[in-house]
Amino acid sequence: MTRFDVYTPITAPAGSQQMLSEVQQAFGFLPNLYGVIAESPTALKAAISMGDAYRTGSLSAAEQQVVLLAVSVENRCEFCTAAHSFTARHIGKLPDADVQALRQGRNPADSRLATLAHFTRLVVSRRGWVPEAELEAFLAVGYTRAQVIEVILGVAMKTLHNYIDHLAHTPLNPQFQPERWSPEQVAA
């Protein structure tokens, strides 16, 4: 099996070292995903830029985490599902029941967040070909056309991360271990 390194700010290629230092400082630790992406300074720069842009959008922190967790589960990404279960609880302040529902491929209890999760999964599973009625339902609960685009940004960013994790078999950080997840946990 091809092995990918999990770089640190010291061991990373020269073009990735400063960016990894900044990621580590921002998180308080270095998520292994970024250590893997550091193999390509260009990809690391893109991943960081996408994340920075996504966080400044109009979706709330909770809504952002719903999108990122829904994408990760839909793409069956063990690393990102664990990582976003952690961030959904700590940054998004989502209730445990909502995080568990999302991890199982179900919707959160809140009807607006449920619509967001459902719409996000459709964007992923239908590769952007969401039926008009589903788009209208998304907008009917108060989301905007700009937020449609922000959901797609979240999907694009997470798909990049998910696919890298799939190929690299990114190991979980100790911080994410309590949130370990496997695709078998998705409701049938």
Side-chain angles (χ1 to χ4, degrees), residues 112-149:
R112 186 171 154 91
L113 293 180
T115 299
L116 176 61
H118 175 73
F119 181 77
T120 300
R121 285 192 293 272
L122 284 174
V123 169
V124 175
S125 67
R126 304 285 306 259
R127 291 167 180 60
W129 295 104
V130 175
E132 185 66 27
E134 297 286 358
L135 176 58
E136 292 301 325
F138 181 74
L139 296 170
V141 300
Y143 288 109
T144 67
R145 290 180 309 209
Q147 289 171 322
V148 169
I149 304 299

Side-chain angles (χ1 to χ4, degrees), residues 12 20 37 41 44 67-68 70 82 102 105 125 129 135 141-142 172:
L20 279 187
I37 298 174
L44 182 59
V67 170
L68 301 178
L102 289 163
S125 67
W129 295 104
L135 176 58
V141 300
L172 277 182

